Amino acid sequence: AGGPHPQEWIITKAQETAHRLHRDQVRKSGGLPYISHLENVANIVASYVADPEIIAAAYLHDTLEDTSYKPSQLKADFGARVLRLVQSVTKPNKDIKAYLANIANADTALIAGADKLDNTRGMREVTDWSVFNYSPIEKVRQYRLVSHKVAAYWPDLAKEIDRQLSLVEKRLLPL
């Protein structure tokens, strides 16, 4: 009883892998090293659950979309469950409907929600929206859809996403 979780190593390995794969990337929302986003998402996830595989997937959630890391390598390094979790929060061809359909359980909802919460906090600092694939209004609309899915499993997390989105909207659309 007590003691460290037998799979605790997976979090450290995921953190190291994320650092290596994203080392030269910066955030669009403010120029911070990209790893800061992955650390934030993993920390948000860890504040809700202690499951090492879910926390590892939080660190790795952007690797398939934004790096040369292949699904076969991720599976070999971290196992089938972590691969499934990462794939479930990878937006296929920027398709929001497919992304929303993948948020079908508490684990994926938690990672997706943590990702959107951190992104939404960063959106409040954006001054140049031209670096994004979507207009700020469209981005907020999509994040509200994600928040709605997250609310089915993690209502407090969804409430915080919505609160942050309201702050973004106030900044974008001052009355």
Side-chain angles (χ1 to χ4, degrees), residues 72-157:
S72 58
Q73 188 62 51
L74 196 153
K75 183 178 181 182
D77 291 344
F78 296 98
R81 181 174 179 230
V82 174
L83 173 62
R84 271 194 316 278
L85 289 168
V86 172
Q87 287 177 322
S88 70
V89 294
T90 298
K91 197 184 298 180
N93 301 316
K94 308 290 182 203
D95 181 349
I96 188 65
K97 287 182 182 170
Y99 180 79
L100 291 168
N102 285 342
I103 303 172
N105 61 57
D107 298 344
T108 57
L110 179 56
I111 297 167
D115 178 36
K116 298 313 176 224
L117 176 57
D118 188 60
N119 285 344
T120 302
R121 288 173 174 162
M123 285 166 62
R124 291 174 40 205
E125 310 305 319
V126 173
T127 54
D128 179 11
W129 281 91
S130 68
V131 300
F132 292 93
N133 299 322
Y134 305 99
S135 73
I137 302 303
E138 178 61 16
K139 185 72 92 175
V140 168
R141 186 189 73 78
Q142 289 183 4
Y143 280 27
R144 289 238 187 254
L145 294 172
V146 173
S147 177
H148 182 72
K149 292 283 289 206
V150 170
Y153 306 97
W154 306 99
D156 291 346
L157 178 57

Side-chain angles (χ1 to χ4, degrees), residues 31-89:
L32 290 172
Y34 197 80
I35 192 64
S36 65
H37 168 62
L38 305 173
E39 294 277 357
N40 291 342
V41 172
N43 286 332
I44 293 166
V45 167
S47 74
Y48 284 88
V49 298
D51 184 320
E53 290 180 320
I54 300 173
I55 298 166
Y59 272 113
L60 300 167
H61 78 273
D62 282 333
T63 56
L64 297 179
E65 200 171 334
D66 295 341
T67 76
S68 60
Y69 205 44
K70 301 284 181 241
S72 58
Q73 188 62 51
L74 196 153
K75 183 178 181 182
D77 291 344
F78 296 98
R81 181 174 179 230
V82 174
L83 173 62
R84 271 194 316 278
L85 289 168
V86 172
Q87 287 177 322
S88 70
V89 294

Side-chain angles (χ1 to χ4, degrees), residues 1-37:
H5 191 285
Q7 286 187 305
E8 200 74 24
W9 64 270
I10 204 168
I11 297 171
T12 303
K13 184 174 180 179
Q15 183 181 32
E16 291 168 354
T17 300
H19 271 269
R20 179 174 46 78
L21 292 170
H22 294 279
R23 75 173 157 257
D24 297 326
Q25 297 174 350
V26 293
R27 303 270 344 243
K28 290 178 186 177
S29 62
L32 290 172
Y34 197 80
I35 192 64
S36 65
H37 168 62

